[in-house]
Amino acid sequence: MAGLEFLATDREGGVCWGAMITTTTTAIEGHPVRQYLGIVTGETIIGANIFRDFLAGIRDIVGGRSGSYEKVLGEARETALREMQERAAILGANAVIGVDLDYEVLGAQNGMLMVTASGTAVVLG
């Protein structure tokens, strides 16, 4: 995963602007971990849209991909990752390693989707 540009607040209340290295691996070649700062998470919940559901149902019948769902799912994933990175920056991290993305259906009649990103905030050398 590539780092995302973001604006966040550090421990001292200062503003940080830069790229956070974010990866699913537990190590980054050539960059030893100097300090482990803890687990960080980001979550987002999206609700189903009746009109979009209707169009997706038609697409399921005739075949093909549901572009509207893919777009919303991508936005939810990016929001969860950005929130996780912001929390890592507040701890003073310059990377998040061991990132895991989870998707869970929630609500009555499975009408909502939760996307969770979690990883370990670290300072790389």
Side-chain angles (χ1 to χ4, degrees), residues 84-95:
M84 178 190 67
Q85 291 173 325
E86 289 170 352
R87 289 178 178 164
I90 289 168
L91 294 175
N94 63 1

Side-chain angles (χ1 to χ4, degrees), residues 55-80:
L55 293 177
I58 291 172
R59 185 162 310 240
D60 287 343
I61 292 169
V62 298
R65 295 169 63 170
S66 176
S68 59
Y69 270 122
E70 289 176 1
K71 181 179 182 212
V72 170
L73 188 58
E75 290 170 357
R77 181 180 56 250
E78 291 302 321
T79 299

